[in-house]
Amino acid sequence: MRQAIEEGFILDVLKNYTTYKTYWNLLKIIKDDPHYEHMKASYLLKQFVDLSDHAIKKKVAIILDHFANQVMHRINNKAKAMIVTRSRMHAVHYKQIVDQFIKERKYPFKALVAFSGTVSDHGMKLTEASMNGIPETQTAATFKQAEYRFLIVANKFQTGFDQPLLHTMYVDKKLGGVNAVQTLSRLNRIYPGKEETMVLDFINEAEQIQESFEPYYDRTILTEGTDPNLLYDQETRLSEFHLFNKADIDQFTQLFFAPKTTQDKLHAALHSIVERYKAVTKELQTDFRKTLDDYIRLYAFLSQVLPFTDADLEKLYVFSKFLIRKLPVTREKLPVEIQHQIDLDSYRVQKTKDQVSISLVRGKDEIDPMKPKGNYEVIPDDIEPLSQIIKELNDRFGTDFSKQDNVFIEQLEAKLAQDIALSISVRVNPPENARLTFDHVVEDKLQGMIDSNFKFYKQITDNPAFNQQFVDWLFERYVKRSVQP
């Protein structure tokens, strides 16, 4: 990162970083004085504040003032900005309030919002398309138009989005680790007349952002190389299951690359393989599926950096990507649960200090290469793995969870299992797209389960590393149980 900045390939996104702190008072509006658990009530009240229109209006006023006075004229009057919100509901409220302020103050620009699925707000069903007035597929292209200066996002366009006119980011979401680097790096693209970037952060401390960027700043060394021969190892492992052979791959890929192939023909070409898969033991099914997934991930990674002349590797990749979506996994059923409210007396958002440049230390950090995950074991159908994951999370994060957490996870999994739209999304989409949808659905379900187990909910929402490990595990478990042929 340092070399790329010094040689002018990217901009330093930490150069102009401003953090804010929030101060507020709540007012009790009922005559009685009921008793609540202190920690639980405190957290719920804070959530109430964060999502209140009054709080968001205060932040929007700062954002639009800053943009109009310090950003809009930059990059030859073409500068754009992104507001990063913590949830889809926050994104909806931000869009409504930003539009209101733009109209009232007669600003000469417009805003777009980006989030997946449907959000229910005060009885209204809202989608990205309905709020923007354009199809969801056209959001990125529309943002290129000169009149659209703001993009409000919730877990969308934070990574892999390339808009060089993006100059400033307004952060209202907890960021950490590589997610912080990926999100803020949306600003680093160079463009004629773009001399700097700016970040206004309402949530994170400068020290936390510095810590997230440090490993990637100077020299990031792989502890060892990613060996291209691993692909051949995985190819051999797959052949040892005897569930398909080279003729099966050739037949499928001939159909796949033929101009007039139909989905029905492709499904039919894999039918006999799926039947063979169903006939083997559960342990072999798990091992095969994971080995197939390893091959897909390795090929997708290595093909970006190495030229492959072996057409058989490409054929196996195409074949594997389609096959893994067809493989059935046994579905399980479980149970279900609820939530809270108040009034805001005062609210203030205050800059912690003047704009700073977050400096990073030169040196080298190590990260591990991409490798296959190795041999796999089937998770038993009983509830034991839940106890194991709780223990792992406790050991890693020093939490103090009980058997009640097993029940909470069961209830969460029950809600996920009953979500038909999620099941379809996981079945028909590639893993990375399915995972995006899964994350949104998990977030929604958790919002409705605050009272079921507040301590576990708080740990998930407050600790990014814990959240990542838990949701990774949850997704893997869901895919095993829910993907249908």
Side-chain angles (χ1 to χ4, degrees), residues 421-465:
L422 176 62
S423 175
I424 293 169
S425 176
V426 170
R427 192 165 69 243
V428 303
N429 284 308
E432 58 275 14
N433 292 350
R435 176 57 192 268
L436 189 63
T437 303
F438 183 82
D439 287 356
H440 291 319
V441 174
V442 168
E443 182 183 319
D444 280 352
K445 304 301 183 193
L446 285 171
Q447 288 291 330
M449 298 178 68
I450 295 173
D451 282 350
S452 299
N453 187 328
F454 174 71
K455 190 181 287 185
F456 195 78
Y457 171 83
K458 188 175 188 297
Q459 183 72 0
I460 293 167
T461 54
D462 276 7
N463 189 325

Side-chain angles (χ1 to χ4, degrees), residues 248-267 269-270 314-323 325:
D248 293 321
I249 299 170
D250 289 340
Q251 180 193 359
F252 178 84
T253 50
Q254 276 179 0
L255 284 169
F256 183 86
F257 291 113
K260 295 184 178 178
T261 300
T262 64
Q263 287 284 318
D264 288 345
K265 287 181 181 176
L266 292 174
H267 282 289
L270 296 175
E314 169 75 13
K315 285 181 181 179
L316 179 56
Y317 173 67
V318 170
F319 172 83
S320 300
K321 274 187 75 176
F322 210 96
L323 176 60
R325 296 183 212 167

Side-chain angles (χ1 to χ4, degrees), residues 36 40 44 47 51 89 120 337-341 415 443-452 457:
Y36 296 104
K40 185 171 183 177
L44 287 171
Q47 280 215 324
L51 198 52
M89 184 66 81
S120 297
E337 246 151 286
I338 325 212
Q339 63 189 221
H340 253 72
Q341 267 174 21
K415 289 174 179 287
E443 182 183 319
D444 280 352
K445 304 301 183 193
L446 285 171
Q447 288 291 330
M449 298 178 68
I450 295 173
D451 282 350
S452 299
Y457 171 83

Side-chain angles (χ1 to χ4, degrees), residues 134-153:
I134 55 172
E136 185 177 342
T137 53
Q138 294 179 21
T139 301
T142 303
F143 187 53
K144 293 177 183 177
Q145 296 176 19
E147 62 186 324
Y148 289 97
R149 297 292 195 99
F150 273 93
L151 182 60
I152 302 160
V153 301

Side-chain angles (χ1 to χ4, degrees), residues 24-30 32-34 36 41-42 44-49 52 340-345:
W24 43 270
N25 280 310
L26 289 172
L27 186 67
K28 184 168 69 75
I29 58 171
I30 57 172
D32 294 336
D33 196 9
Y36 296 104
S42 298
L44 287 171
L45 295 178
K46 185 178 180 299
Q47 280 215 324
F48 167 80
V49 172
S52 73
H340 253 72
Q341 267 174 21
I342 265 183
D343 207 7
L344 200 57
D345 184 33

Side-chain angles (χ1 to χ4, degrees), residues 219-230:
R219 284 168 292 159
T220 304
I221 309 298
L222 281 172
T223 53
E224 58 183 280
T226 299
D227 184 2
N229 290 318
L230 289 173

Side-chain angles (χ1 to χ4, degrees), residues 82-96:
M82 178 181 280
I83 301 175
V84 179
T85 70
R86 68 192 76 182
S87 72
R88 295 185 303 153
M89 184 66 81
H90 281 85
V92 164
H93 285 215
Y94 260 102
K95 171 70 163 104
Q96 292 167 338

